[in-house]
Amino acid sequence: MDDPSVDVNPTVPSGTSNTPPTANVSLADLDTFVNYLKRVCAPILDSSLENTNDIERLFTDRSSIDCIKKFISDVQCQTILISKTITVKEDPTLTETDPTTNSSGDTLTINSSSSSSSTSSSSLIPDGLYTLSTEVHYINPKMLSLVIVKRGQLIESDKKFHTQLRIINLVDSSPYETLHAYISHVIGPYFKSYVRESGKSERDGDKMAPTMEKKITELEMGLLHLQQNIEIPEVNLAIHPIVSQVAQKCLNESRRPKVDDFSEYLDNTEFLNSLQSHVNRWVREIQRVTKLHEDSMKGSTRQEISFWLNLERALTRIQEKRESVEVQLTFDILKTVKRFHATVGFDNDTGLKSAMDTVKDHSVLMKDFPINDLLSANELDKIRTALTTIFQHLKKLRSTRYPVSRAGRLMEAVSQDLMQQMLKVLNTYRLMHIGYTDFERIVKACDDVFATWDDEYERLSTQVRDVRRTARTSDVRMAWRVSLSHKKLQQRLDHMKRFRKQHEQLRSVIDRVLLQPVPTPLQPQTSINDEQDKDNIQTSTNGPSNETRTTVTAANVLNDVNAIDEVNMAYESVKEIDALDVSKEGQDAWEMAMKR
């Protein structure tokens, strides 16, 4: 391989003395850097397990070498993307696609098992598809990728490579899911931890760090929203080819098509039967969408909101297609030949009008639903405020026909979101490790959140029952019975509060009673003269000696110390578990710790 070359002493305009930042820099050796890339790719792209010739071919191709040289020496080139896409042999559900190229960047695609033989069956199926690019881009949902980012402007020879690079892997997943995982579990916690440890969030007038923290949370919520977005099936009302041809001809003639334009086809039974078959397929296609609202609610609050808003847009598009010239022309032709059964019941069969009315009614509740206020809240006070805003919005239930049973499922979803958001906030405090005063303050804030829910929820329940008096009261009450997830967290916090209060009281008793200073008459005194010794001997006949009393006092102190140790050991056993885990396993762990 040729060593990378770069002009490290670019021409400087006369009259200036500025030294370029890349001057006198010894660049990394190309062979050494390529070998390093191979070692990095081995565990992530599985390039060392089988078909090692494929990765060798990738790193020996001239175009690939040019990309790596550019990465080493070009200050504008900051990334390299090395990908291995999963092919048909590894996943039979995939279809063979053309190699991915990127016109805006330097990209190379290497077919891993190219063969000159055209008669071989299995050998012609590629075992892997490697790409190397200087720009990060999406390839396909099934991929193993490695992104290498430079920390500086150049890759230098006198520094360790791992100190000059940042490495990220993108593994076999949807972009939304991958990005959300990085933001939620890596970038967000890392940034918040740095801000907290550095004290930037506590500095007066320094609003940049808290603002940035909020932006990261909003980004996390946006990616989660995209990930949970419910796609509505796309409806395609296929038009008969003859109808399309005639409609296009009339459009070119700047006139509206009429049934008379099909006079030569009106007696053609085959044509008419085909039209009727098209209409029947339209009914089935539209029903795929119009019957979706009959399904029970599943998923999170975001998914419910997304479902109704997307369904409204989908039905609007179907209505536009229903009113198109070609569709209307098809109906007019069938009416003219008196095939009414294919046209009269079309709207009733599809349920389009009824579905549109239902969706428009429910969208009143779903539009501008303030769930983002809850999901982006990073403090308990903000969570309480968000709850109040959500329940204020839910008053719109009174003016809609949103089913009571579905409203109950919606409340369960909001309760689940509330619990998850509270856990996200509480996990930053380590409640069993902080001081008791701070613990009381945080639990008090949690109690305020739960009290807000209870008050608002009771008012909402009363309003729903009052508005739905047309239905049987028992049915409304049955439908409104819900299982609220956050109640488990509320119960666990009550247990933690009771446990810590009892522990604190016990420690206080030990400190105040068991460890009181030893009274002066019981403290040992050193003899000063013989007279005092005689007095001590004389008093020994009437009561315990100082030596005996000293021994008793020392034993009491030792017992007191042991009591404190036992209390502390009991508390340590509880600190070892995740006290906020309200799952079945978490409940078992908590109960076991309480028994110990």
Side-chain angles (χ1 to χ4, degrees):
M1 295 182 182
D2 297 329
D3 289 337
S5 59
V6 63
D7 184 5
V8 296
N9 294 292
T11 303
V12 179
S14 59
T16 64
S17 59
N18 294 333
T19 303
T22 60
N24 302 322
V25 172
S26 175
L27 297 178
D29 177 69
L30 180 61
D31 291 336
T32 305
F33 187 68
V34 167
N35 289 332
Y36 175 79
L37 292 181
K38 291 178 184 178
R39 294 196 302 272
V40 171
C41 290
I44 298 178
L45 301 183
D46 288 336
S47 58
S48 63
L49 300 182
E50 57 183 20
N51 296 326
T52 55
N53 291 335
D54 303 334
I55 199 72
E56 291 291 340
R57 191 180 302 114
L58 176 69
F59 285 118
T60 55
D61 186 90
R62 186 67 219 178
S63 299
S64 179
I65 294 302
D66 290 342
C67 288
I68 298 175
K69 282 184 177 181
K70 183 177 180 181
F71 179 74
I72 293 174
S73 61
D74 191 344
V75 297
Q76 300 297 325
C77 179
Q78 290 293 311
T79 59
I80 276 185
L81 173 71
I82 305 172
S83 300
K84 175 189 175 185
T85 59
I86 308 302
T87 59
V88 177
K89 183 176 181 179
E90 295 170 300
D91 188 349
T93 62
L94 298 177
T95 57
E96 201 73 51
T97 58
D98 293 331
T100 302
T101 58
N102 185 355
S103 58
S104 60
D106 303 309
T107 307
L108 172 70
T109 302
I110 297 294
N111 193 328
S112 63
S113 61
S114 57
S115 174
S116 58
S117 173
S118 60
T119 58
S120 175
S121 57
S122 60
S123 62
L124 289 178
I125 302 177
D127 297 321
L129 200 64
Y130 286 94
T131 64
L132 192 149
S133 172
T134 56
E135 290 190 2
V136 178
H137 58 279
Y138 174 76
I139 300 177
N140 62 57
K142 297 290 185 179
M143 69 177 184
L144 300 172
S145 295
L146 182 69
V147 181
I148 302 176
V149 185
K150 285 193 295 191
R151 296 183 63 179
Q153 294 182 334
L154 304 172
I155 304 298
E156 303 178 28
S157 61
D158 56 348
K159 297 179 181 178
K160 295 291 185 179
F161 290 144
H162 73 272
T163 65
Q164 303 182 66
L165 302 172
R166 296 183 175 94
I167 299 175
I168 303 172
N169 67 305
L170 308 173
V171 183
D172 198 292
S173 172
S174 72
Y176 297 146
E177 181 182 352
T178 301
L179 293 174
H180 177 265
Y182 277 122
I183 297 296
S184 177
H185 302 300
V186 180
I187 297 177
Y190 184 77
F191 180 82
K192 294 174 185 178
S193 174
Y194 171 71
V195 171
R196 184 170 59 251
E197 294 297 329
S198 63
K200 290 183 177 294
S201 60
E202 301 175 358
R203 297 176 185 173
D204 295 335
D206 188 358
K207 301 298 182 182
M208 183 63 70
T211 301
M212 199 60 222
E213 183 176 341
K214 183 178 180 181
K215 294 294 184 183
I216 291 176
T217 303
E218 291 176 354
L219 175 59
E220 178 186 344
M221 291 303 101
L223 291 170
L224 180 63
H225 189 192
L226 291 171
Q227 186 179 340
Q228 294 181 341
N229 190 42
I230 297 179
E231 297 292 339
I232 305 298
E234 184 68 26
V235 173
N236 180 29
L237 302 184
I239 307 300
H240 194 283
I242 295 178
V243 176
S244 297
Q245 292 173 7
V246 173
Q248 184 62 42
K249 178 182 177 181
C250 294
L251 178 64
N252 295 336
E253 297 174 357
S254 301
R255 64 183 182 88
R256 185 178 181 83
K258 304 184 297 294
V259 176
D260 294 342
D261 295 318
F262 296 87
S263 56
E264 59 181 300
Y265 299 103
L266 296 181
D267 295 329
N268 189 329
T269 303
E270 183 179 353
F271 169 72
L272 297 177
N273 289 340
S274 180
L275 281 186
Q276 187 168 336
S277 296
H278 274 70
V279 173
N280 292 337
R281 281 197 297 271
W282 294 349
V283 172
R284 292 192 295 271
E285 280 287 308
I286 295 176
Q287 284 178 342
R288 291 172 54 209
V289 176
T290 57
K291 290 186 176 181
L292 286 175
H293 74 278
E294 300 174 2
D295 298 337
S296 59
M297 176 185 168
K298 299 177 183 177
S300 66
T301 311
R302 276 187 176 276
Q303 288 175 315
E304 176 71 353
I305 297 170
S306 172
F307 169 75
W308 288 106
L309 298 182
N310 288 350
L311 184 58
E312 183 180 24
R313 286 190 287 268
L315 292 175
T316 300
R317 289 194 296 269
I318 293 174
Q319 186 64 33
E320 292 173 353
K321 294 178 180 179
R322 164 71 175 81
E323 298 173 354
S324 65
V325 174
E326 293 84 354
V327 172
Q328 292 296 331
L329 195 57
T330 301
F331 287 146
D332 291 341
I333 294 173
L334 292 175
K335 289 178 182 178
T336 300
V337 298
K338 302 188 184 318
R339 295 201 178 193
F340 299 111
H341 60 279
T343 59
V344 173
F346 181 82
D347 290 328
N348 288 333
D349 293 340
T350 59
L352 182 59
K353 185 177 183 304
S354 174
M356 284 290 294
D357 292 340
T358 299
V359 169
K360 287 182 178 180
D361 174 81
H362 296 355
S363 293
V364 173
L365 176 65
M366 295 302 159
K367 285 181 178 177
D368 302 321
F369 198 104
I371 191 62
N372 283 345
D373 294 347
L374 174 61
L375 298 180
S376 62
N378 53 10
E379 298 175 6
L380 293 172
D381 287 341
K382 292 181 180 179
I383 291 178
R384 181 173 56 81
T385 302
L387 269 186
T388 303
T389 305
I390 289 174
F391 277 101
Q392 288 293 327
H393 183 85
L394 285 171
K395 290 180 179 179
K396 293 182 179 181
L397 277 170
R398 295 177 296 180
S399 58
T400 69
R401 301 190 305 274
Y402 194 78
V404 177
S405 59
R406 200 171 185 111
R409 304 291 80 75
L410 179 62
M411 295 310 305
E412 290 179 346
V414 175
S415 173
Q416 179 69 23
D417 292 335
L418 171 63
M419 185 183 74
Q420 294 298 331
Q421 200 62 27
M422 289 188 68
L423 286 174
K424 186 178 294 186
V425 174
L426 292 175
N427 281 328
T428 64
Y429 291 116
R430 304 185 68 190
L431 292 180
M432 300 304 290
H433 296 260
I434 61 177
Y436 185 68
T437 302
D438 292 335
F439 174 82
E440 281 189 312
R441 174 179 55 81
I442 295 170
V443 172
K444 174 62 170 56
C446 292
D447 290 340
D448 292 341
V449 173
F450 296 136
T452 299
W453 174 284
D454 293 339
D455 295 342
E456 296 288 351
Y457 180 76
E458 181 60 32
R459 279 195 288 267
L460 180 65
S461 301
T462 302
Q463 292 170 358
V464 170
R465 286 193 293 267
D466 291 343
V467 170
R468 306 297 167 88
R469 289 188 183 278
T470 53
R472 289 183 299 175
T473 306
S474 59
D475 289 348
V476 174
R477 288 177 179 172
M478 287 292 292
W480 193 248
R481 290 180 181 176
V482 295
S483 176
L484 302 176
S485 300
H486 76 272
K487 289 296 182 180
K488 296 179 181 178
L489 177 61
Q490 184 176 2
Q491 184 180 26
R492 176 61 56 81
L493 287 173
D494 287 340
H495 291 167
M496 293 170 62
K497 179 169 60 176
R498 185 162 56 250
F499 171 78
R500 289 212 59 173
K501 182 178 181 180
Q502 293 173 350
H503 178 264
E504 196 67 19
Q505 288 174 343
L506 182 58
R507 287 181 58 89
S508 178
V509 168
I510 293 175
D511 291 341
R512 288 188 293 105
V513 179
L514 300 181
L515 291 181
Q516 287 182 352
V518 179
T520 302
L522 297 180
Q523 293 181 359
Q525 301 291 333
T526 303
S527 297
I528 299 177
N529 50 46
D530 296 339
E531 187 65 27
Q532 289 177 334
D533 292 338
K534 294 178 181 179
D535 292 339
N536 290 338
I537 295 173
Q538 182 178 358
T539 56
S540 64
T541 60
N542 300 324
S545 65
N546 286 337
E547 182 180 357
T548 304
R549 293 178 181 180
T550 302
T551 303
V552 172
T553 304
N556 290 340
V557 171
L558 182 60
N559 290 335
D560 296 343
V561 172
N562 291 336
I564 295 175
D565 290 341
E566 290 179 3
V567 171
N568 290 336
M569 288 177 61
Y571 188 78
E572 288 296 327
S573 66
V574 178
K575 288 170 62 176
E576 292 175 358
I577 67 171
D578 183 2
L580 293 176
D581 184 1
V582 294
S583 65
K584 179 63 169 61
E585 295 77 10
Q587 180 65 25
D588 294 341
W590 174 263
E591 293 176 355
M592 185 66 67
M594 290 296 99
K595 292 179 181 178
R596 292 200 300 265

